[in-house]
Amino acid sequence: MFQGKDPRADLFAGNSQPPATGLIAQEQLGRFHGDAPQVSDALRRSWYLRGCNFVLEYSELAPGAKLGRQSQPDEYVLYLDDRQSGATVEWNGTTVTVPGGSIVFVPPGDSCITFPSGAKPVRLFTVKSADLVALCPNADGYRSPRSHIPPFHPWPKPAGGWKVRHYPLDVADQPGRFGRIYRCTTFMVNALPTMNGPRDPARMSPHHHDDFEQCSLALQGSFTHFLRWSWTTDMSDWREDMAVKVGSPSALVIPPPVIHTTQATGTGHNDLVDIFCPPRMDFSQKPGWVLNAEDYPIPDVSEQDSCDT
């Protein structure tokens, strides 16, 4: 489905298996720019949305705000898009100063993040953080198991053991590489290049995934997400095409095997981030695509069967 020089063109070559029947393929949408936050106080407003394996938290924080986790069961992600809004991360008796414009991976256990000048951070957790799942407006959206999505299994521990790791998002584009991809034991995050103005409608990239969700997080600008449900042999799986128009911030969880592509529609800067939980093996096997691959090894065998809730 990929056209021309799209770096993903060879990822799905030869994938001609018809989609399975009995799918539950329902999108999940969070319009953080228009909905009331789930948590609100003098220093903080936070919105939540869950996917099959993960919880996304978007926050707007006043100077001095803190976000803490106690007995966190697994590694989580802090995404700081704004170059002017840094943070300090305390974990295991250490304090790490993180500049704005960074992605941060925080190990399991107790941690506290302080935002001296305020920020609009995104944090990503697996559904093992049950307290955060309960905050999601769509907390019951996965009550029916997604039998075609494998259960979550963390990837191998980082080389050199646990510590707070952070990486700059300001990395130059490179021919043949798709976006700016980072992974940890629980997530893969792809910070796509900023698009200035609307995307050329003659250069779209419709595609699908067989067995994992994609979360598309809009941080600036506006977008239209186009979704098309595959026709299986069972008409009860069929759905009408959708064109989901969103502003920012917002997030859309796209289920497999829905065909999808996204068009930036804003006249200014349009920033989109793709999120996967757990990391994608196909992207990980592309030489040079994962920018922190040396720190996070890939598993020997992928064990993915059905969705844990």
Side-chain angles (χ1 to χ4, degrees), residues 175-186:
R177 193 188 73 219
F178 181 56
R180 294 159 290 167
I181 301 175
Y182 301 88
R183 69 168 182 251
C184 64
T185 60
T186 49

Side-chain angles (χ1 to χ4, degrees), residues 70-93:
Q70 285 73 50
S71 301
Q72 173 63 28
D74 49 13
E75 193 172 29
Y76 71 93
V77 179
L78 169 67
Y79 190 90
L80 296 171
D81 181 59
D82 185 355
R83 296 182 185 179
Q84 306 305 314
S85 300
T88 58
V89 182
E90 299 175 49
W91 175 82
N92 196 32

Side-chain angles (χ1 to χ4, degrees), residues 4-307:
K5 297 182 180 179
D6 192 301
R8 297 167 291 176
D10 63 341
L11 289 175
F12 303 105
N15 184 1
S16 58
Q17 291 293 324
T21 59
L23 301 177
I24 301 173
Q26 181 179 350
E27 80 289 349
Q28 306 290 323
L29 175 62
R31 299 181 189 271
F32 310 140
H33 58 89
D35 296 340
Q38 282 72 57
V39 174
S40 182
D41 58 35
L43 296 178
R44 171 187 181 190
R45 300 200 309 159
S46 295
W47 292 258
Y48 295 85
L49 183 73
R50 73 160 294 183
C52 182
N53 294 326
F54 68 92
V55 173
L56 184 152
E57 173 197 78
Y58 173 83
S59 297
E60 296 177 351
L61 305 177
K66 298 177 182 288
L67 296 176
R69 295 295 294 168
Q70 285 73 50
S71 301
Q72 173 63 28
D74 49 13
E75 193 172 29
Y76 71 93
V77 179
L78 169 67
Y79 190 90
L80 296 171
D81 181 59
D82 185 355
R83 296 182 185 179
Q84 306 305 314
S85 300
T88 58
V89 182
E90 299 175 49
W91 175 82
N92 196 32
T94 64
T95 300
V96 178
T97 300
V98 178
S102 298
I103 186 169
V104 189
F105 299 127
V106 184
D110 297 347
S111 59
C112 182
I113 307 172
T114 303
F115 301 87
S117 59
K120 296 180 180 180
V122 173
R123 294 194 298 172
L124 304 171
F125 303 88
T126 75
V127 291
K128 288 185 178 180
S129 296
D131 59 320
L132 301 181
V133 173
L135 291 172
C136 297
N138 67 328
D140 294 331
Y142 292 82
R143 180 167 294 177
S144 297
R146 306 301 202 258
S147 60
H148 56 305
I149 301 178
F152 173 82
H153 293 290
W155 280 29
K157 292 181 180 179
W162 293 118
K163 66 178 181 179
V164 176
R165 290 175 164 83
H166 61 91
Y167 308 92
L169 295 172
D170 189 9
V171 176
D173 296 338
Q174 180 177 314
R177 193 188 73 219
F178 181 56
R180 294 159 290 167
I181 301 175
Y182 301 88
R183 69 168 182 251
C184 64
T185 60
T186 49
F187 284 89
M188 174 175 281
V189 177
N190 187 5
L192 298 169
T194 296
M195 183 166 289
N196 296 313
R199 183 177 183 178
D200 183 349
R203 298 178 61 84
M204 304 301 290
S205 56
H207 63 285
H208 78 281
H209 312 297
D210 288 330
D211 58 2
F212 60 86
E213 292 180 324
Q214 173 177 314
C215 177
S216 289
L217 170 66
L219 290 176
Q220 188 174 193
S222 56
F223 300 85
T224 300
H225 301 289
F226 296 95
L227 308 179
R228 170 166 287 183
W229 274 250
S230 301
W231 284 8
T232 73
T233 57
D234 184 348
M235 289 184 68
S236 64
D237 294 327
W238 298 10
R239 302 287 187 274
E240 295 290 335
D241 289 356
M242 295 182 66
V244 183
K245 297 181 179 181
V246 299
S248 57
S250 64
L252 178 70
V253 182
I254 302 166
V258 172
I259 300 168
H260 57 278
T261 189
T262 297
Q263 182 183 27
T265 57
T267 57
H269 290 177
N270 297 284
D271 284 328
L272 197 68
V273 180
D274 285 344
I275 298 162
F276 307 94
C277 179
R280 289 178 61 161
M281 181 61 76
D282 57 351
F283 279 9
S284 294
Q285 291 176 330
K286 300 287 286 186
W289 278 29
V290 179
L291 298 177
N292 66 333
E294 291 185 358
D295 290 342
Y296 285 91
I298 65 175
D300 292 332
V301 178
S302 178
E303 300 176 356
Q304 300 179 350
D305 301 312
S306 66
C307 179

